[in-house]
Amino acid sequence: MPPKSPETRTAVLFVCLGNICRSPLAEAVFAHLVRERGLEDRFEIDSAGTGAWHVGERADRRSMAVAARHGVSMEGRARRVEPSDFGRFDLIVAMDRENLRDLERMADGHPRRPKTRLLREWDSEDGDEVPDPYYGGPEGFERVYAMVRRSCEALLDHLVAPEG
Ligand code: 4NP
């Protein structure tokens, strides 16, 4: 079968505060699952931060380490959410409620409003936020990985379901 045309792709943006710990991990895990299922032609996937402190940096080494332990590679550099993202993406997936509030403010006045959701809306286990692991130890990154992995699996199921 020929690949789907770009018009039928779903564009998903994962967002956290710094774009060095959680959202690049979610981007990498989601892209990994999409590749595993051979669905690359159906998705555009990216991540960004609401803050600008780490723009241009590689992901935090602790996020890269936890990803590598699970066979997931992380590439790319941090960038900030920009106004054009609201026109470009179909779904914006935030890690915590502060990200959601900041996104709401940044989208203010933009003519197009993509759907904005918390990643853990798709988590099969209880909890609504992916906590910021930046100031904690490595076990925090493993916990974040587990939440991100469960949620991304279910999010992908949702997006490829006939009614999704
Ligand atoms: P992230 O984690 O939002 O998951 O990328 C953070 C990284 C850096 C900072 C905050 C959160 N910071 O304040 O520098």
Side-chain angles (χ1 to χ4, degrees), residues 16-24 53-54 132-135:
C16 64
L17 178 59
N19 193 214
I20 55 168
C21 296
R22 293 165 293 173
S23 63
W53 306 281
H54 298 282
D132 186 349
Y134 188 65
Y135 293 106

Side-chain angles (χ1 to χ4, degrees), residues 36-107:
E36 260 184 5
R37 298 196 201 180
L39 297 169
E40 295 96 318
D41 56 316
R42 292 199 36 194
F43 291 96
E44 300 281 344
I45 308 159
D46 199 3
S47 68
T50 56
W53 306 281
H54 298 282
V55 166
E57 292 177 19
R58 303 288 310 270
D60 187 289
R61 67 182 64 222
R62 296 165 296 176
S63 266
M64 302 232 270
V66 76
R69 278 199 292 280
H70 294 276
V72 174
S73 68
M74 283 174 79
E75 283 147 31
R77 294 191 177 261
R79 73 171 180 89
R80 193 178 194 188
V81 175
E82 50 192 62
S84 62
D85 290 327
F86 298 104
R88 191 177 142 209
F89 289 93
D90 304 299
L91 174 64
I92 301 184
V93 182
M95 301 299 122
D96 63 34
R97 293 192 176 281
E98 184 188 0
N99 306 149
L100 274 187
R101 278 194 299 275
D102 290 340
L103 281 164
E104 202 64 32
R105 225 184 18 249
M106 293 169 121

